[in-house]
Amino acid sequence: MTAAAAATSPHAWLQAQARWNRTEIAFWLATLLPFWLFPDYLVLASQIAITALFALSLDLILGYAGIVSLGHAAFFGLGAYTAGLAAKYGWGEPLTGLMLGALAAGIVGYAASFIIARFRHLALIMITLGMGLLLAELANSLHWLTGGTDGLQGVKMWPIFNKFRFDLYGTTAYSYSLIVLFLCFLVARRIINSPFGLSLRGIRENPLRMPALGASSRAHLRKIYTISAVLAGIAGALLAQTTETVSLEVLGFQRSADVLVILILGGAGRLYGGLVGAIIFMVARDQFSGNTPQFWYFWIGALLIAVVMFLPNGILGGLAKLSSAWRSRA
Amino acid sequence: MSAALATRGLDKRFGSLVVARGIEFSLPLGARYALIGPNGAGKTTLINLMTGMLRPDAGEILLGDEPIAALPPERRVARGLVRTFQINTLFPHLTPLEAVTLAVCEREGVARTWWRRVSAYSGVVDEAHAILSSLMLGADCYRPTRELPYGRQRLLEIALALATRPKVLLLDEPAAGVPRDESAELFAAIANLSRDITVLFIEHDMNFVFRFASRIIVMVGGRILLEGTPEEVSADPRVREVYLGKSHRTGVHHG
Ligand SMILES: Nc1ncnc2c1ncn2[C@@H]1O[C@H](COP(=O)(O)OP(=O)(O)OP(=O)(O)O)[C@@H](O)[C@H]1O
Ligand SMILES: [Mg+2]
């Protein structure tokens, strides 16, 4: 151990932290498998990719900066309604629609970040919860705009690049969602390995020390919260575009709670936690929920308790521990 | 003579408990001053007041010629007033290399960059590693901080502070909790600090205080009892009374 450490230079060590490893490459290759193995499930696969992106956006604030949010669906919903409304009122071009969704969520996220960055712990949970409820109720009451509980009807998407139509099987939807997820993941990964990402981890690890090092934690928190809102907005816009409808539940408390559960199950603070969590959660829901969704939450509840008790760093944290134990034995 | 750091009439109370009362002292440039006093005297509180972690009820703090009492903590650090903590205040899951790199990035103003890798800043990384090596942490700098022995963590406390390039360094019991036979390394690190840095340190080990400090400030019950050279302080009957009468820790052993 010491000999190996002495042999590395600090540059090589830091570079190694940011390098792509084989498991990561295998993971992304595996995301292509549904095209051949489960061609009937591409619609589900697309929803998983969207949920994974949403969970990734939450991971950036919760897993890296320690901001707990119970209202993250606010930004998902903003992105969804913005992209949906754009398409409904005549602008069905997907890529610009995605950017509009990102922009709307980003602007509101930036405004909210001035409040968010000043609070921690329970106060933060309550504020984010309040924000989520506020926006959901607003969308409900603006019936003329959002369609209220009937949902937003008449969303018509144009083909991507004027070429790829959104088909019934979800081939285009999954390709599109997967590519957007991957690009956003690259951005998130770069953020984590940057000086800014290092400072975020510093805030998570010890918020008291940061000002003593001359760091302005609040500026960092505002920035990551805005970035996270943008990514959540993109996820919401993707859902609106690939399903060509927007219902009130995009803003619902349930969605905020689900994404938190997904991230905790998968493991916060490791980028892939939200992705793995989304796959497990969505596939399991598809397989088990059937006609009795209440029953499904019974099992999710049990699983959540078990994971938090026995795998405090989520499923990925548990796997990482196993593999390092296995390696040190070999 | 110009002072590196000075206070004027600092007052602070927690409810009815007076923890600072009319605190006035000044540290000349490059000085090595010790701040001593029994437990609960208000030494840590004084550091909190000077670094902005607590707001004084009254009084002024001057860094060089500039009043800084209105500045938030991080701005004081940017101007060169830096502290360490009596109780480890580190980043448990970061390695020392990452933690010190973080501090250097913040100082250099590159901590806002999110589109380049940390490893692209090779000057920053070199500096971080040099600081760690100078404190004998070079071999341990790739292990998560929480896995390091306690004494090494105390050294990292100092490394983090040095990464900010302090002009005035306030060390709050740097050897607190370190067994006597292991504290030599820490005291050596403090003795080796650059003479460009003005140092005020709180310490209960009187051997080190008498060897290293040019002047000693004695604090009792939120007030400065006296300030003087080690000889003056050790000869003062009031100091003897405070330490022999009330101390629960190290008494005044010296000479
Ligand atoms: N935030 C606070 N609120 C209320 N009382 C406090 C607070 N911080 C410190 N005190 C009290 O103020 C007094 C001075 O505490 P301080 O930590 O400054 O002492 P100290 O001289 O550093 O002692 P030690 O040698 O034990 O570190 C103590 O009685 C302490 O209990
Ligand atoms: Mg103290």
Side-chain angles (χ1 to χ4, degrees):
Chain A
M1 165 73 214
T2 336
T8 33
S9 79
H11 301 276
W13 190 86
L14 283 170
Q15 265 159 17
Q17 298 306 300
R19 196 166 296 139
W20 287 84
N21 66 37
R22 270 186 227 133
T23 323
E24 276 183 291
I25 296 168
F27 175 89
W28 285 105
L29 287 177
T31 60
L32 299 174
L33 290 178
F35 287 113
W36 295 281
L37 295 185
F38 315 107
D40 299 339
Y41 286 93
L42 292 183
V43 173
L44 174 66
S46 152
Q47 308 227 346
I48 293 177
I50 291 165
T51 308
L53 177 56
F54 186 33
L56 176 68
S57 79
L58 183 66
D59 198 14
L60 285 181
I61 56 167
L62 176 64
Y64 287 94
I67 303 175
V68 191
S69 172
L70 254 187
H72 214 47
F75 304 111
F76 186 91
L78 270 169
Y81 275 111
T82 307
L85 285 168
K88 177 176 177 175
Y89 291 106
W91 187 253
E93 203 288 310
L95 297 185
T96 38
L98 210 58
M99 283 174 208
L100 285 176
L103 189 69
I107 289 171
V108 176
Y110 179 68
S113 73
F114 284 83
I115 301 172
I116 297 297
R118 307 185 54 165
F119 294 91
R120 291 188 71 78
H121 310 302
L122 188 63
L124 195 50
I125 296 178
M126 290 304 125
I127 289 168
T128 52
L129 177 63
M131 257 167 31
L133 295 176
L134 207 111
L135 227 65
E137 203 40 53
L138 196 67
N140 188 20
S141 56
L142 294 178
H143 193 279
W144 58 272
L145 184 69
T146 62
T149 44
D150 303 330
L152 189 69
Q153 306 298 330
V155 176
K156 280 252 100 12
M157 297 313 299
W158 303 348
I160 301 172
F161 297 134
N162 246 331
K163 199 164 166 200
F164 304 101
R165 271 177 200 297
F166 286 98
D167 55 302
L168 275 180
Y169 307 102
T171 315
T172 307
Y174 182 50
S175 312
Y176 179 45
S177 307
L178 187 60
I179 289 169
V180 173
L181 168 65
F182 184 63
L183 293 178
C184 291
F185 181 84
L186 289 182
V187 171
R189 197 175 184 285
R190 180 44 71 92
I191 290 173
I192 293 320
N193 291 318
S194 70
F196 173 58
L198 191 54
S199 287
L200 289 181
R201 288 161 66 203
I203 294 171
R204 179 192 63 191
E205 294 285 310
N206 198 335
L208 188 64
R209 186 70 197 230
M210 292 299 282
L213 295 179
S216 168
S217 296
R218 280 189 192 168
H220 290 320
L221 290 174
R222 286 202 299 271
K223 184 143 129 198
I224 195 62
Y225 195 74
T226 307
I227 293 174
S228 169
V230 165
L231 292 188
I234 293 177
L238 274 179
L239 185 72
Q241 296 181 337
T242 54
T243 58
E244 299 198 323
T245 170
V246 184
S247 70
L248 268 184
E249 67 79 38
V250 293
L251 280 168
F253 171 70
Q254 188 75 59
R255 185 173 288 277
S256 294
D258 280 354
V259 74
L260 192 57
V261 168
I262 285 170
L263 184 60
I264 300 301
L265 284 183
R270 31 185 88 233
L271 281 189
Y272 285 90
L275 313 198
V276 170
I279 296 171
I280 294 172
F281 186 94
M282 302 283 284
V283 169
R285 181 163 71 181
D286 184 69
Q287 295 297 305
F288 300 129
S289 69
N291 319 328
T292 50
Q294 314 88 306
F295 207 57
W296 149 249
Y297 275 105
F298 175 88
W299 288 113
I300 276 297
L303 185 63
L304 188 62
I305 292 169
V307 164
V308 170
M309 280 176 68
F310 303 110
L311 301 171
N313 296 314
I315 291 167
L316 275 194
L319 286 178
K321 218 176 198 175
L322 264 182
S323 93
S324 76
W326 186 75
R327 234 180 268 156
S328 66
R329 203 186 258 190
Chain B
M1 190 167 53
S2 78
L5 178 70
T7 63
R8 305 255 164 81
L10 274 189
D11 286 346
K12 179 73 185 176
R13 46 168 67 227
F14 292 119
S16 62
L17 179 70
V18 176
V19 284
R21 188 66 197 269
I23 301 286
E24 298 207 4
F25 68 87
S26 88
L27 298 179
L29 276 174
R32 296 292 183 268
Y33 275 33
L35 176 61
I36 67 170
N39 295 139
K43 305 181 296 293
T44 299
T45 303
L46 182 56
I47 288 196
N48 285 335
L49 290 171
M50 291 190 289
T51 54
M53 305 216 157
L54 286 175
R55 219 163 248 293
D57 300 332
E60 187 51 87
I61 305 157
L62 297 166
L63 183 64
D65 301 327
E66 289 177 88
I68 56 165
L71 296 179
E74 63 270 17
R75 299 270 299 280
R76 300 186 196 194
V77 173
R79 295 189 182 199
L81 177 60
V82 184
R83 69 174 296 180
T84 65
F85 291 81
Q86 180 174 355
I87 297 166
N88 277 348
T89 304
L90 301 168
F91 306 108
H93 290 88
L94 299 191
T95 63
L97 179 64
E98 288 170 323
V100 176
T101 301
L102 186 171
V104 178
C105 284
E106 288 286 355
R107 187 198 77 215
E108 289 290 301
V110 298
R112 265 168 274 157
T113 328
W114 58 267
W115 55 89
R116 290 183 72 189
R117 287 186 183 163
V118 174
S119 52
Y121 294 90
S122 77
V124 166
V125 176
D126 282 333
E127 185 185 338
H129 194 253
I131 292 169
L132 288 161
S133 302
S134 73
L135 288 170
M136 314 299 200
L137 285 166
D140 286 320
C141 76
Y142 308 112
R143 288 166 66 190
T145 299
R146 71 197 154 99
E147 291 177 8
L148 297 182
Y150 183 77
R152 316 248 94 201
Q153 298 193 15
R154 292 308 285 163
L155 280 170
L156 183 56
E157 269 287 333
I158 297 172
L160 283 175
L162 289 182
T164 65
R165 286 215 185 126
K167 292 194 184 101
V168 178
L169 183 56
L170 310 173
L171 298 166
D172 195 350
E173 299 197 31
V178 179
R180 246 166 199 284
D181 49 328
E182 289 175 34
S183 56
E185 201 173 23
L186 268 157
F187 290 140
I190 297 163
N192 287 335
L193 289 174
S194 157
R195 278 280 151 184
D196 297 336
I197 304 175
T198 304
V199 180
L200 174 72
F201 63 99
I202 301 173
E203 184 47 61
H204 284 291
D205 182 327
M206 290 305 151
N207 287 321
F208 181 71
V209 168
F210 280 91
R211 191 149 39 89
F212 187 62
S214 58
R215 287 178 80 79
I216 299 173
I217 299 168
V218 185
M219 231 183 133
V220 179
R223 293 167 193 265
I224 293 183
L225 182 68
L226 84 151
E227 186 202 310
T229 62
E231 293 72 34
E232 286 163 5
V233 167
S234 59
D236 194 290
R238 288 172 300 171
V239 176
R240 288 171 174 273
E241 187 192 330
V242 165
Y243 270 88
L244 297 178
K246 294 180 193 159
S247 171
H248 308 291
R249 282 201 214 166
T250 338
V252 186
H253 319 286
H254 62 94

